[in-house]
Amino acid sequence: MILTVDIGNTNTVVGIFKGEELIESVRLESNRSKTVDEYHLLLTDLLDLKAIDIESFEGGIISSVVPTLTGTMEKAVSKIIGREPIVVGPGTKTGLNIMYDDPKEVGADRIVNAVGALKKYGAPLIIIDFGTATTYCVIDKDKNYLGGIIAPGIGISAEALFLKAAKLPRVDLVPPENYLNKNTVDAIKAGIIFGRVGEVEYIVKHLKEEVGVTNAKVISTGGIAPTINGLTKAIDIYDNNLTLFGLRDIYEKNTKNRK
């Protein structure tokens, strides 16, 4: 079995693969104050709860956009699997040709998503990850990672509105029934949700035109993705576990010659 860990700014997702099958996944808070021992105990308890035999792990892999958590989680995972996990970064084999001005600037999560999406859906692709930031990544028909767009995530945008406008209440991030609303709560929901739908449709349209990938599949992932998907035809496929599958694929690329 393989232990996969994706550390995001808000959440950390842990996946357990048996062969190519994702048999368990758990979402945790990305808590920067936890120690190695605390994460080790947390992960061990989770594995016990899921009746996962720790002795069955052959290895592990981590992607992270939170540098202060990377080393902590690496040590915690090492204590569980009995060896150092792969940490996605410079020098990791991905099979991607990254066309960024400086490839090292591309976040590990974006690379991992691209690897996972390429294997599952082929190219060309546009991948939208609705996380703490909303990221758009473009892969052309030759599997070149061309670049993309980084926008404030829907949660960040909502929080900024509440913090800066004293009289506006916090609201659940669910769409209202109407575009035109006559109460503050639904008016805020409409602005936040429908505004993001408009962003997606505009950006996807212009990315396809600019890069010449009009036939690209548009894949979405991330917690709020199902809500946005239901409001637009610009997104073709929702894949909740895209990052975990990408991690598994990268693990295979970096270990197959050692088996």
Side-chain angles (χ1 to χ4, degrees):
M1 291 194 299
I2 301 167
L3 183 62
T4 60
V5 182
D6 173 46
I7 304 171
N9 286 293
T10 304
N11 294 307
T12 293
V13 184
V14 179
I16 301 161
F17 282 87
K18 186 175 182 179
E20 296 188 0
E21 181 185 1
L22 178 64
I23 60 173
E24 291 288 352
S25 64
V26 180
R27 186 175 297 268
L28 312 171
E29 179 187 5
S30 294
N31 190 331
R32 294 159 176 80
S33 65
K34 283 188 181 297
T35 66
V36 172
D37 288 337
E38 286 174 318
Y39 268 115
H40 175 240
L41 287 171
L42 177 60
L43 291 173
T44 301
D45 287 345
L46 285 171
L47 294 171
D48 286 343
L49 183 64
K50 299 294 184 178
I52 301 296
D53 180 10
I54 292 176
E55 299 297 323
S56 299
F57 284 113
E58 67 177 68
I61 184 167
I62 298 170
S63 68
S64 175
V65 296
V66 187
T68 55
L69 261 180
T70 307
T72 300
M73 188 63 74
E74 183 180 1
K75 292 174 184 175
V77 170
S78 295
K79 293 177 73 172
I80 290 172
I81 65 176
R83 57 185 62 85
E84 291 185 2
I86 296 168
V87 178
V88 178
T92 306
K93 295 177 184 178
T94 64
L96 288 179
N97 183 22
I98 302 172
M99 308 297 286
Y100 239 53
D101 293 340
D102 182 357
K104 294 178 182 177
E105 289 184 357
V106 185
D109 55 337
R110 298 172 72 187
I111 297 300
V112 172
N113 282 343
V115 171
L118 271 173
K119 181 167 183 178
K120 294 183 77 173
Y121 307 111
L125 288 168
I126 296 174
I127 304 163
I128 310 174
D129 189 344
F130 295 97
T132 304
T134 299
T135 60
Y136 300 77
C137 299
V138 182
I139 296 99
D140 69 11
K141 62 183 179 60
D142 297 316
K143 301 183 180 180
N144 296 309
Y145 182 97
L146 301 182
I149 291 173
I150 303 173
I154 196 167
I156 288 177
S157 300
E159 189 66 18
L161 180 64
F162 307 143
L163 290 175
K164 297 297 183 180
K167 290 188 176 182
L168 296 183
R170 282 179 168 80
V171 300
D172 294 329
L173 296 178
V174 294
E177 293 183 3
N178 305 305
Y179 285 92
L180 179 65
N181 294 280
K182 297 182 179 181
N183 64 78
T184 299
V185 169
D186 284 343
I188 293 172
K189 289 180 180 179
I192 294 171
I193 300 294
F194 298 146
R196 187 50 49 101
V197 172
E199 174 197 294
V200 167
E201 293 179 344
Y202 184 89
I203 286 178
V204 166
K205 175 179 181 292
H206 285 277
L207 283 175
K208 286 184 174 183
E209 292 175 352
E210 181 176 313
V211 183
V213 289
T214 54
N215 62 331
K217 290 189 183 76
V218 181
I219 314 299
S220 73
T221 192
I224 197 68
T227 298
I228 303 300
N229 288 12
L231 298 170
T232 179
K233 295 180 180 180
I235 297 171
D236 298 310
I237 300 167
Y238 166 63
D239 190 330
N240 184 47
N241 294 310
L242 183 62
T243 311
L244 296 179
F245 277 91
L247 281 170
R248 183 202 168 277
D249 294 340
I250 293 174
Y251 178 88
E252 292 295 330
K253 291 178 187 295
N254 286 270
T255 59
K256 64 181 180 180
N257 293 330
R258 296 184 298 176
K259 293 179 180 179

